Amino acid sequence: MTDQGSKQKQLRIAVDAMGGDYAPEETVKGSVQAAKDFGLDIIFTGQTKDVESALAKVDVGGVEVRVVEASEIIEEGEQPAIAVMRKPNSSVAVAAKLVKSGEADAMLSAGPTGACMVAGLQYIGALPGIERPMAGGTFVGLAPQTVILDLGANIGSKPEHLVNFAVAGSVYVSTFLGIENPTVGLLNVGSEEGKGNDLVKEAYPLLKESGLNFVGNVEGMDIPAGKVNVVVCDGFVGNIILKFTEGLGERLTRWLAEELKGKLSKDDEDELRKKLARTMGAAMEVGGGPLWGIDGVVAVAHGASKARQITGTIEQIKVAIETGFVDKLRKELERVQA
Amino acid sequence: MTDQGSKQKQLRIAVDAMGGDYAPEETVKGSVQAAKDFGLDIIFTGQTKDVESALAKVDVGGVEVRVVEASEIIEEGEQPAIAVMRKPNSSVAVAAKLVKSGEADAMLSAGPTGACMVAGLQYIGALPGIERPMAGGTFVGLAPQTVILDLGANIGSKPEHLVNFAVAGSVYVSTFLGIENPTVGLLNVGSEEGKGNDLVKEAYPLLKESGLNFVGNVEGMDIPAGKVNVVVCDGFVGNIILKFTEGLGERLTRWLAEELKGKLSKDDEDELRKKLARTMGAAMEVGGGPLWGIDGVVAVAHGASKARQITGTIEQIKVAIETGFVDKLRKELERVQA
């Protein structure tokens, strides 16, 4: 109601303007839209000239936008994670440094996940007990309240890592999906305790004592059935299932189109195809989300993001900040590691 | 042309008449049908009274059938593998002993796979370098020329086991699918050598030197795409993907029925549903097949087999015997282990 009120400090999001297949145009467009929709300030990092020419194409009226020069470019063909270490003035590294220094409250990149992870680890740091950030999310549209992790960031996990996955999944589900006391299952080849390989046998008692809502082992068929909210597995298994599902969705969509040729109206066919793609591959629909395990809100948007997905990912950032996702995750990690 | 010609020795199949959800009736019916279709002799093992009353319901004209008493019964709730060891006169154990003694050329059971494996290992023995039989097969109908193994018999494999899987898969594909020099891929999280967990990193060079048609790593999406004929993985991963696919198929079928309600004719809808079930879950369609790694033809039919699946599995037995599947597998195992 007062002048002070209308000048309250807005959240500031550092956006890597150069990362992603449609950067900087779509990244800039989607970020400016998010700034308008959610009342945020945006700090773009990248080649100033390129960012400014992208900004010239959108209406930035009423939005606080500034550009921070990032002089180094990660080239096609470079190993993203290594490139970030070698190029502290790349756009993703500069964005991370803005978060570390407190100039930004969170960051977003649609560049390679590996680059984003390394930038987050190197310049912002990891939460307690986390050696590498964790990758997770809902990925079968049939089970929209089930997240699975790790999806490939952590290969060859130790039993205690699986507990970290369970913690991160639980905090994510309760924060982002609003589910209290989410159930956790350990992905295994049978439902009885004592089944499986050494990793899951050793993780089982740790999960049981974690204080999380651990319901025991789950099997492959329990994932699409949505039996639990958080499915925990090593990144080797998670990554294979994730890509298997994506591949199957693509093939099935083509198969279905062939089978239904001439039996459905063109509109019904198109609609079904779209729905099937969504049902099989939830990940792409969401657009992106925060990395789990960095000591700050670092969100990765898919490389193929258009403006809409960028806006969607920034909405997730806002939820992460406002709900205190990182603090909740830190506290839970400290609790189970105590 | 002569009397001797018409009296040529027929193949003799020992059939566990008591194993399976619809035993002995459907097992007996399907076996007698196979005997007629393929010119085989059948030796049923089981409680003689029960087998004979099942035999009384079918026309056995022109078929050589006999019953060997198996006095012990594996009860509901017993651990099948342990029960077999404790009960040498159970129907599955008696069938295995007939193979060992040379009274039968092969055996079939629709009982639990674990029981069949133990009976095969204990009474017939394993092929060189095989500690446990391997479980594999085509399981995504979208890729009918792709087998994946192990599917859960071997959890926590060593690198050399993965080479055995590759050998068994290759021999199976060339024998049963008639594909020369089948391609082999190592299931992994990336296509480059050096990716993955310790197991696959160590298995990679062994596969490269195996003399098999090893094409390198494959990823999850390559399974439904049918990129290679043999996908090799530890049973932990294989079992999870297998069950995931089954679960997904079930859910998708239901989802599709809901989506298409009123948009397709009843007939088209029924047909599509059946086809989708087949496309997702190839395994059940086949009915069963030989265990891989036993020193004799030991075939497992699915527990839910009706007469048709029993007949189908016996046809696979006939192919296995006539093509020398076990000898080929032994030679290939000896070659790669040399």
PDB file of all heavy atoms in Angstrom, chain B residues 80-105:
ATOM      1  N   PRO B  80      10.776 -72.885  -4.344  1.00  0.00           N
ATOM      2  CA  PRO B  80      10.876 -73.944  -5.363  1.00  0.00           C
ATOM      3  C   PRO B  80      12.282 -74.553  -5.463  1.00  0.00           C
ATOM      4  O   PRO B  80      12.426 -75.778  -5.519  1.00  0.00           O
ATOM      5  CB  PRO B  80      10.510 -73.222  -6.665  1.00  0.00           C
ATOM      6  CG  PRO B  80       9.757 -72.022  -6.259  1.00  0.00           C
ATOM      7  CD  PRO B  80      10.261 -71.629  -4.911  1.00  0.00           C
ATOM      8  N   ALA B  81      13.309 -73.691  -5.468  1.00  0.00           N
ATOM      9  CA  ALA B  81      14.663 -74.196  -5.681  1.00  0.00           C
ATOM     10  C   ALA B  81      15.086 -75.129  -4.548  1.00  0.00           C
ATOM     11  O   ALA B  81      15.695 -76.180  -4.771  1.00  0.00           O
ATOM     12  CB  ALA B  81      15.632 -73.026  -5.804  1.00  0.00           C
ATOM     13  N   ILE B  82      14.730 -74.755  -3.338  1.00  0.00           N
ATOM     14  CA  ILE B  82      15.095 -75.576  -2.177  1.00  0.00           C
ATOM     15  C   ILE B  82      14.268 -76.854  -2.167  1.00  0.00           C
ATOM     16  O   ILE B  82      14.763 -77.948  -1.895  1.00  0.00           O
ATOM     17  CB  ILE B  82      14.893 -74.755  -0.882  1.00  0.00           C
ATOM     18  CG1 ILE B  82      15.916 -73.609  -0.860  1.00  0.00           C
ATOM     19  CG2 ILE B  82      15.034 -75.621   0.355  1.00  0.00           C
ATOM     20  CD1 ILE B  82      15.635 -72.539   0.157  1.00  0.00           C
ATOM     21  N   ALA B  83      12.989 -76.719  -2.511  1.00  0.00           N
ATOM     22  CA  ALA B  83      12.095 -77.878  -2.526  1.00  0.00           C
ATOM     23  C   ALA B  83      12.611 -78.959  -3.473  1.00  0.00           C
ATOM     24  O   ALA B  83      12.556 -80.152  -3.176  1.00  0.00           O
ATOM     25  CB  ALA B  83      10.687 -77.439  -2.925  1.00  0.00           C
ATOM     26  N   VAL B  84      13.137 -78.541  -4.605  1.00  0.00           N
ATOM     27  CA  VAL B  84      13.632 -79.514  -5.584  1.00  0.00           C
ATOM     28  C   VAL B  84      14.798 -80.308  -5.007  1.00  0.00           C
ATOM     29  O   VAL B  84      14.896 -81.529  -5.197  1.00  0.00           O
ATOM     30  CB  VAL B  84      14.097 -78.801  -6.875  1.00  0.00           C
ATOM     31  CG1 VAL B  84      14.852 -79.756  -7.792  1.00  0.00           C
ATOM     32  CG2 VAL B  84      12.902 -78.228  -7.601  1.00  0.00           C
ATOM     33  N   MET B  85      15.664 -79.618  -4.285  1.00  0.00           N
ATOM     34  CA  MET B  85      16.800 -80.315  -3.696  1.00  0.00           C
ATOM     35  C   MET B  85      16.347 -81.307  -2.642  1.00  0.00           C
ATOM     36  O   MET B  85      16.891 -82.387  -2.510  1.00  0.00           O
ATOM     37  CB  MET B  85      17.775 -79.300  -3.110  1.00  0.00           C
ATOM     38  CG  MET B  85      18.542 -78.565  -4.206  1.00  0.00           C
ATOM     39  SD  MET B  85      19.962 -77.662  -3.572  1.00  0.00           S
ATOM     40  CE  MET B  85      19.241 -76.053  -3.298  1.00  0.00           C
ATOM     41  N   ARG B  86      15.319 -80.926  -1.900  1.00  0.00           N
ATOM     42  CA  ARG B  86      14.817 -81.793  -0.827  1.00  0.00           C
ATOM     43  C   ARG B  86      13.969 -82.933  -1.359  1.00  0.00           C
ATOM     44  O   ARG B  86      13.754 -83.920  -0.674  1.00  0.00           O
ATOM     45  CB  ARG B  86      13.928 -80.972   0.125  1.00  0.00           C
ATOM     46  CG  ARG B  86      14.710 -80.025   0.998  1.00  0.00           C
ATOM     47  CD  ARG B  86      13.944 -79.734   2.295  1.00  0.00           C
ATOM     48  NE  ARG B  86      14.583 -78.621   2.987  1.00  0.00           N
ATOM     49  CZ  ARG B  86      13.975 -77.475   3.275  1.00  0.00           C
ATOM     50  NH1 ARG B  86      12.698 -77.303   2.963  1.00  0.00           N
ATOM     51  NH2 ARG B  86      14.622 -76.517   3.902  1.00  0.00           N
ATOM     52  N   LYS B  87      13.430 -82.760  -2.563  1.00  0.00           N
ATOM     53  CA  LYS B  87      12.464 -83.746  -3.072  1.00  0.00           C
ATOM     54  C   LYS B  87      12.912 -84.325  -4.411  1.00  0.00           C
ATOM     55  O   LYS B  87      12.439 -83.917  -5.475  1.00  0.00           O
ATOM     56  CB  LYS B  87      11.082 -83.090  -3.210  1.00  0.00           C
ATOM     57  CG  LYS B  87      10.524 -82.671  -1.858  1.00  0.00           C
ATOM     58  CD  LYS B  87       9.141 -82.047  -1.950  1.00  0.00           C
ATOM     59  CE  LYS B  87       8.563 -81.852  -0.553  1.00  0.00           C
ATOM     60  NZ  LYS B  87       7.305 -81.088  -0.547  1.00  0.00           N
ATOM     61  N   PRO B  88      13.824 -85.310  -4.347  1.00  0.00           N
ATOM     62  CA  PRO B  88      14.355 -85.901  -5.579  1.00  0.00           C
ATOM     63  C   PRO B  88      13.303 -86.680  -6.359  1.00  0.00           C
ATOM     64  O   PRO B  88      13.537 -87.037  -7.519  1.00  0.00           O
ATOM     65  CB  PRO B  88      15.474 -86.812  -5.079  1.00  0.00           C
ATOM     66  CG  PRO B  88      15.152 -87.091  -3.651  1.00  0.00           C
ATOM     67  CD  PRO B  88      14.436 -85.884  -3.134  1.00  0.00           C
ATOM     68  N   ASN B  89      12.162 -86.938  -5.741  1.00  0.00           N
ATOM     69  CA  ASN B  89      11.092 -87.625  -6.473  1.00  0.00           C
ATOM     70  C   ASN B  89       9.954 -86.693  -6.851  1.00  0.00           C
ATOM     71  O   ASN B  89       8.832 -87.131  -7.103  1.00  0.00           O
ATOM     72  CB  ASN B  89      10.582 -88.821  -5.654  1.00  0.00           C
ATOM     73  CG  ASN B  89      11.612 -89.939  -5.638  1.00  0.00           C
ATOM     74  OD1 ASN B  89      12.209 -90.275  -6.664  1.00  0.00           O
ATOM     75  ND2 ASN B  89      11.859 -90.502  -4.456  1.00  0.00           N
ATOM     76  N   SER B  90      10.232 -85.407  -6.885  1.00  0.00           N
ATOM     77  CA  SER B  90       9.230 -84.474  -7.418  1.00  0.00           C
ATOM     78  C   SER B  90       9.214 -84.617  -8.940  1.00  0.00           C
ATOM     79  O   SER B  90      10.182 -85.094  -9.545  1.00  0.00           O
ATOM     80  CB  SER B  90       9.585 -83.037  -7.016  1.00  0.00           C
ATOM     81  OG  SER B  90      10.889 -82.723  -7.463  1.00  0.00           O
ATOM     82  N   SER B  91       8.119 -84.203  -9.559  1.00  0.00           N
ATOM     83  CA  SER B  91       7.942 -84.453 -10.999  1.00  0.00           C
ATOM     84  C   SER B  91       9.026 -83.768 -11.837  1.00  0.00           C
ATOM     85  O   SER B  91       9.484 -84.316 -12.845  1.00  0.00           O
ATOM     86  CB  SER B  91       6.549 -83.999 -11.449  1.00  0.00           C
ATOM     87  OG  SER B  91       6.311 -82.657 -11.049  1.00  0.00           O
ATOM     88  N   VAL B  92       9.477 -82.572 -11.420  1.00  0.00           N
ATOM     89  CA  VAL B  92      10.497 -81.865 -12.206  1.00  0.00           C
ATOM     90  C   VAL B  92      11.856 -82.550 -12.059  1.00  0.00           C
ATOM     91  O   VAL B  92      12.617 -82.681 -13.031  1.00  0.00           O
ATOM     92  CB  VAL B  92      10.547 -80.352 -11.840  1.00  0.00           C
ATOM     93  CG1 VAL B  92      11.022 -80.129 -10.407  1.00  0.00           C
ATOM     94  CG2 VAL B  92      11.429 -79.587 -12.805  1.00  0.00           C
ATOM     95  N   ALA B  93      12.154 -83.058 -10.851  1.00  0.00           N
ATOM     96  CA  ALA B  93      13.418 -83.760 -10.626  1.00  0.00           C
ATOM     97  C   ALA B  93      13.437 -85.088 -11.397  1.00  0.00           C
ATOM     98  O   ALA B  93      14.456 -85.456 -12.003  1.00  0.00           O
ATOM     99  CB  ALA B  93      13.625 -84.010  -9.131  1.00  0.00           C
ATOM    100  N   VAL B  94      12.332 -85.789 -11.384  1.00  0.00           N
ATOM    101  CA  VAL B  94      12.259 -87.082 -12.093  1.00  0.00           C
ATOM    102  C   VAL B  94      12.447 -86.866 -13.603  1.00  0.00           C
ATOM    103  O   VAL B  94      13.158 -87.630 -14.272  1.00  0.00           O
ATOM    104  CB  VAL B  94      10.919 -87.799 -11.786  1.00  0.00           C
ATOM    105  CG1 VAL B  94      10.728 -89.020 -12.678  1.00  0.00           C
ATOM    106  CG2 VAL B  94      10.871 -88.213 -10.311  1.00  0.00           C
ATOM    107  N   ALA B  95      11.857 -85.797 -14.116  1.00  0.00           N
ATOM    108  CA  ALA B  95      12.024 -85.497 -15.548  1.00  0.00           C
ATOM    109  C   ALA B  95      13.493 -85.249 -15.871  1.00  0.00           C
ATOM    110  O   ALA B  95      14.029 -85.750 -16.870  1.00  0.00           O
ATOM    111  CB  ALA B  95      11.168 -84.289 -15.933  1.00  0.00           C
ATOM    112  N   ALA B  96      14.171 -84.481 -15.006  1.00  0.00           N
ATOM    113  CA  ALA B  96      15.598 -84.194 -15.240  1.00  0.00           C
ATOM    114  C   ALA B  96      16.418 -85.481 -15.199  1.00  0.00           C
ATOM    115  O   ALA B  96      17.344 -85.667 -15.999  1.00  0.00           O
ATOM    116  CB  ALA B  96      16.099 -83.190 -14.205  1.00  0.00           C
ATOM    117  N   LYS B  97      16.075 -86.355 -14.282  1.00  0.00           N
ATOM    118  CA  LYS B  97      16.826 -87.617 -14.180  1.00  0.00           C
ATOM    119  C   LYS B  97      16.646 -88.481 -15.424  1.00  0.00           C
ATOM    120  O   LYS B  97      17.549 -89.222 -15.805  1.00  0.00           O
ATOM    121  CB  LYS B  97      16.439 -88.363 -12.901  1.00  0.00           C
ATOM    122  CG  LYS B  97      17.012 -87.669 -11.643  1.00  0.00           C
ATOM    123  CD  LYS B  97      16.870 -88.495 -10.386  1.00  0.00           C
ATOM    124  CE  LYS B  97      15.540 -88.234  -9.721  1.00  0.00           C
ATOM    125  NZ  LYS B  97      15.425 -88.898  -8.404  1.00  0.00           N
ATOM    126  N   LEU B  98      15.479 -88.400 -16.053  1.00  0.00           N
ATOM    127  CA  LEU B  98      15.248 -89.152 -17.299  1.00  0.00           C
ATOM    128  C   LEU B  98      16.162 -88.639 -18.416  1.00  0.00           C
ATOM    129  O   LEU B  98      16.623 -89.404 -19.263  1.00  0.00           O
ATOM    130  CB  LEU B  98      13.779 -89.040 -17.731  1.00  0.00           C
ATOM    131  CG  LEU B  98      12.771 -89.802 -16.862  1.00  0.00           C
ATOM    132  CD1 LEU B  98      11.342 -89.420 -17.257  1.00  0.00           C
ATOM    133  CD2 LEU B  98      12.964 -91.307 -16.975  1.00  0.00           C
ATOM    134  N   VAL B  99      16.418 -87.339 -18.417  1.00  0.00           N
ATOM    135  CA  VAL B  99      17.327 -86.766 -19.422  1.00  0.00           C
ATOM    136  C   VAL B  99      18.757 -87.231 -19.136  1.00  0.00           C
ATOM    137  O   VAL B  99      19.485 -87.659 -20.025  1.00  0.00           O
ATOM    138  CB  VAL B  99      17.247 -85.222 -19.435  1.00  0.00           C
ATOM    139  CG1 VAL B  99      18.283 -84.627 -20.388  1.00  0.00           C
ATOM    140  CG2 VAL B  99      15.841 -84.765 -19.838  1.00  0.00           C
ATOM    141  N   LYS B 100      19.128 -87.161 -17.880  1.00  0.00           N
ATOM    142  CA  LYS B 100      20.489 -87.541 -17.497  1.00  0.00           C
ATOM    143  C   LYS B 100      20.777 -89.007 -17.868  1.00  0.00           C
ATOM    144  O   LYS B 100      21.851 -89.321 -18.393  1.00  0.00           O
ATOM    145  CB  LYS B 100      20.663 -87.340 -15.993  1.00  0.00           C
ATOM    146  CG  LYS B 100      22.043 -87.712 -15.472  1.00  0.00           C
ATOM    147  CD  LYS B 100      23.111 -86.784 -16.053  1.00  0.00           C
ATOM    148  CE  LYS B 100      24.512 -87.158 -15.583  1.00  0.00           C
ATOM    149  NZ  LYS B 100      25.534 -86.321 -16.229  1.00  0.00           N
ATOM    150  N   SER B 101      19.784 -89.866 -17.598  1.00  0.00           N
ATOM    151  CA  SER B 101      19.992 -91.304 -17.842  1.00  0.00           C
ATOM    152  C   SER B 101      19.902 -91.661 -19.320  1.00  0.00           C
ATOM    153  O   SER B 101      20.177 -92.789 -19.708  1.00  0.00           O
ATOM    154  CB  SER B 101      18.962 -92.105 -17.059  1.00  0.00           C
ATOM    155  OG  SER B 101      17.676 -91.894 -17.639  1.00  0.00           O
ATOM    156  N   GLY B 102      19.493 -90.702 -20.129  1.00  0.00           N
ATOM    157  CA  GLY B 102      19.366 -90.981 -21.552  1.00  0.00           C
ATOM    158  C   GLY B 102      18.019 -91.564 -21.956  1.00  0.00           C
ATOM    159  O   GLY B 102      17.781 -91.840 -23.133  1.00  0.00           O
ATOM    160  N   GLU B 103      17.122 -91.704 -20.999  1.00  0.00           N
ATOM    161  CA  GLU B 103      15.788 -92.227 -21.347  1.00  0.00           C
ATOM    162  C   GLU B 103      14.953 -91.183 -22.088  1.00  0.00           C
ATOM    163  O   GLU B 103      14.008 -91.526 -22.796  1.00  0.00           O
ATOM    164  CB  GLU B 103      15.053 -92.683 -20.085  1.00  0.00           C
ATOM    165  CG  GLU B 103      15.627 -93.967 -19.497  1.00  0.00           C
ATOM    166  CD  GLU B 103      14.967 -94.310 -18.163  1.00  0.00           C
ATOM    167  OE1 GLU B 103      13.811 -94.772 -18.173  1.00  0.00           O
ATOM    168  OE2 GLU B 103      15.619 -94.081 -17.111  1.00  0.00           O
ATOM    169  N   ALA B 104      15.293 -89.941 -21.869  1.00  0.00           N
ATOM    170  CA  ALA B 104      14.610 -88.865 -22.609  1.00  0.00           C
ATOM    171  C   ALA B 104      15.666 -87.977 -23.276  1.00  0.00           C
ATOM    172  O   ALA B 104      16.799 -87.880 -22.806  1.00  0.00           O
ATOM    173  CB  ALA B 104      13.749 -88.032 -21.660  1.00  0.00           C
ATOM    174  N   ASP B 105      15.273 -87.359 -24.402  1.00  0.00           N
ATOM    175  CA  ASP B 105      16.207 -86.483 -25.137  1.00  0.00           C
ATOM    176  C   ASP B 105      16.142 -85.037 -24.660  1.00  0.00           C
ATOM    177  O   ASP B 105      17.019 -84.230 -24.973  1.00  0.00           O
ATOM    178  CB  ASP B 105      15.877 -86.524 -26.628  1.00  0.00           C
ATOM    179  CG  ASP B 105      16.042 -87.929 -27.188  1.00  0.00           C
ATOM    180  OD1 ASP B 105      17.170 -88.447 -27.136  1.00  0.00           O
ATOM    181  OD2 ASP B 105      15.031 -88.513 -27.620  1.00  0.00           O
TER     182      ASP B 105
END
